[in-house]
Amino acid sequence: MIHNPTLSIGLPVYNGENYLEQAVRCLLAQTFTDFELILCDNASTDRTQSICEAFAREDPRIRYVRHDTNLGLIRNFNHAFEASHGVYFKWMAHDDLIDEDFIRRCIRALQLDADMVVCCTAAAVIDAEGFVLEAPEGLGDTTRDPLGVTRLRDLPGAQRGLENVRPHIRHRGVLLGSTRCYEEFGVIRSSAIRKTPLREYYPGSEKVFLTELSLLGTIKVLPEPLMFMRVHDDRLSSQAGSSDRQALYLAPGQGKRKRSLPPQVRCAWGYWAAIWRQPLTFGERLCCALNFTRFLFQVRKWSAIFRIALLGKEPVVTAPAPTRGRRIETTPTPDRSKPAPPTLQPHPAQHA
């Protein structure tokens, strides 16, 4: 008998032996248990395969899929959803963590509101060792973030209009008010994802995808930070400084013709196509088109395009190391079928 779980969790991974066990352990520790976990291994060459196979043997909810060749990040990312069966879906990065109550609270919110398509929580940024680099208290400030880029941090979802009943207001909130796009790693209605073309093969397509979801329903961001996004030297954004190099990671099989345009141009086309792809009233479609026009006239977008055209890549900005805060960690346990949840541990040298 095929079990149709309430939730499917897709975990795409490539050479993730460094953090994979922690990520799977925090998923198995969730207070919500009616889910399947799909581990999509993109032809890893390290211990990833043995780690995945060990977990799959110990828990019947885990399904292990291994590709014979490296399909690229995006194809593997999309395949995780295509292989799922749940009413709801969540992507999970192999190097991130979530609190043990994250899924239960998101599922609960979605079940109470039929118009909601995405639910997640606020997020904290952690470093390679699990220490908090950035907490939600600083959201809304312009400052250097742990990724080394000076930019406007995302305001809470309600302030961006993501919960508004009018599609064009939600659309504006994502298109003009979102940079991190952490909502992509929330719990999403599978029926809504199927109405989109999923992620496209260029850097920045996660925001295009999230913008299209905003046209389909409301997006709820719960205020308590229960997602922990990890920044480390092996992260894609750390290894691939230029957009061209990122494109090779995202889709190794794509020819140069596919990567000839700057990602900002490809993203702009994705935003425009989404407006016409989704069923909107004439008035809402017109308002979304006006949002898109405002987007086109953002000076910082064009300056990035010109930098790519002249330099061949976007310059890498180096930021000072952020102050460490509390530590997020999973407590090792010999029984993987009953893992301990993530816990907050105070750092002995915590700074104010």
Side-chain angles (χ1 to χ4, degrees):
M1 181 179 297
I2 298 177
H3 172 55
N4 293 319
T6 300
L7 172 72
S8 294
I9 304 173
L11 196 159
V13 59
Y14 172 71
N15 285 355
E17 65 177 6
N18 48 0
Y19 301 112
L20 179 58
E21 289 190 62
Q22 294 182 43
V24 174
R25 189 172 291 122
C26 79
L27 291 173
L28 297 182
Q30 291 295 300
T31 56
F32 184 90
T33 60
D34 184 18
F35 65 82
E36 64 172 349
L37 172 58
I38 307 165
L39 303 175
C40 290
D41 182 1
N42 207 7
S44 296
T45 57
D46 63 357
R47 292 177 44 250
T48 293
Q49 180 175 4
S50 61
I51 294 171
C52 291
E53 290 175 340
F55 275 115
R57 286 193 299 267
E58 295 174 9
D59 195 310
R61 295 174 296 175
I62 298 178
R63 182 152 41 103
Y64 175 49
V65 178
R66 177 177 171 84
H67 303 301
D68 295 331
T69 58
N70 189 327
L71 304 180
L73 184 152
I74 294 302
R75 286 185 64 187
N76 195 35
F77 191 91
N78 289 344
H79 181 79
F81 172 73
E82 293 164 353
S84 68
H85 302 101
V87 177
Y88 305 100
F89 184 84
K90 171 182 166 48
W91 277 287
M92 179 75 181
H94 85 279
D95 48 2
D96 293 339
L97 296 172
I98 58 175
D99 182 84
E100 63 177 350
D101 212 28
F102 174 88
I103 292 177
R104 185 192 67 81
R105 294 182 61 177
C106 290
I107 292 284
R108 175 67 173 168
L110 284 161
Q111 290 175 336
L112 291 176
D113 188 349
D115 294 327
M116 189 185 302
V117 296
V118 182
C119 183
C120 69
T121 72
V125 178
I126 60 177
D127 66 7
E129 299 176 13
F131 290 100
V132 174
L133 299 179
E134 176 186 297
E137 289 77 13
L139 295 179
D141 300 329
T142 302
T143 184
R144 290 190 181 276
D145 65 18
L147 301 181
V149 180
T150 301
R151 61 187 179 188
L152 183 66
R153 298 179 182 177
D154 294 348
L155 293 169
Q159 295 184 33
R160 282 179 282 155
L162 303 186
E163 300 175 29
N164 197 285
V165 296
R166 303 191 67 179
H168 80 273
I169 295 179
R170 302 191 301 265
H171 178 262
R172 182 179 61 202
V174 176
L175 184 62
L176 301 177
S178 300
T179 55
R180 302 289 181 82
C181 297
Y182 290 152
E183 295 87 357
E184 179 190 28
F185 290 96
V187 178
I188 311 173
R189 292 189 191 275
S190 297
S191 58
I193 299 177
R194 294 189 184 97
K195 295 177 182 177
T196 74
L198 293 173
R199 288 279 299 275
E200 299 287 352
Y201 300 104
Y202 49 80
S205 65
E206 68 277 4
K207 185 172 177 178
V208 175
F209 171 70
L210 188 61
T211 302
E212 189 150 6
L213 286 178
S214 74
L215 298 175
L216 296 169
T218 61
I219 299 174
K220 178 76 172 180
V221 181
L222 302 174
E224 186 177 355
L226 302 181
M227 292 196 299
F228 308 102
M229 323 303 283
R230 195 188 303 268
V231 175
H232 55 93
D233 291 339
D234 294 329
R235 188 183 178 96
L236 171 63
S237 57
S238 301
Q239 290 190 339
S242 71
S243 298
D244 189 62
R245 287 185 63 198
Q246 284 192 30
L248 292 175
Y249 280 88
L250 297 171
Q254 297 293 305
K256 289 185 177 180
R257 183 179 64 84
K258 292 287 187 181
R259 298 184 283 109
S260 59
L261 295 175
Q264 290 83 358
V265 175
R266 285 173 280 175
C267 284
W269 174 254
Y271 296 135
W272 179 249
I275 295 173
W276 299 96
R277 186 162 41 235
Q278 298 305 329
L280 300 170
T281 65
F282 175 79
E284 286 293 334
R285 204 182 306 276
L286 177 61
C287 289
C288 289
L290 292 175
N291 292 338
F292 179 75
T293 302
R294 288 182 59 188
F295 168 81
L296 289 181
F297 281 93
Q298 288 181 317
V299 176
R300 59 188 176 91
K301 299 291 184 185
W302 288 103
S303 63
I305 293 174
F306 290 139
R307 285 199 303 267
I308 295 174
L310 295 174
L311 304 176
K313 64 179 181 179
E314 294 190 69
V316 177
V317 181
T318 302
T323 302
R324 279 180 163 185
R326 295 173 296 176
R327 187 177 188 181
I328 310 298
E329 61 182 1
T330 53
T331 304
T333 173
D335 184 2
R336 281 185 181 151
S337 63
K338 298 180 180 180
T343 56
L344 286 171
Q345 299 293 338
H347 185 252
Q350 183 174 350
H351 300 277

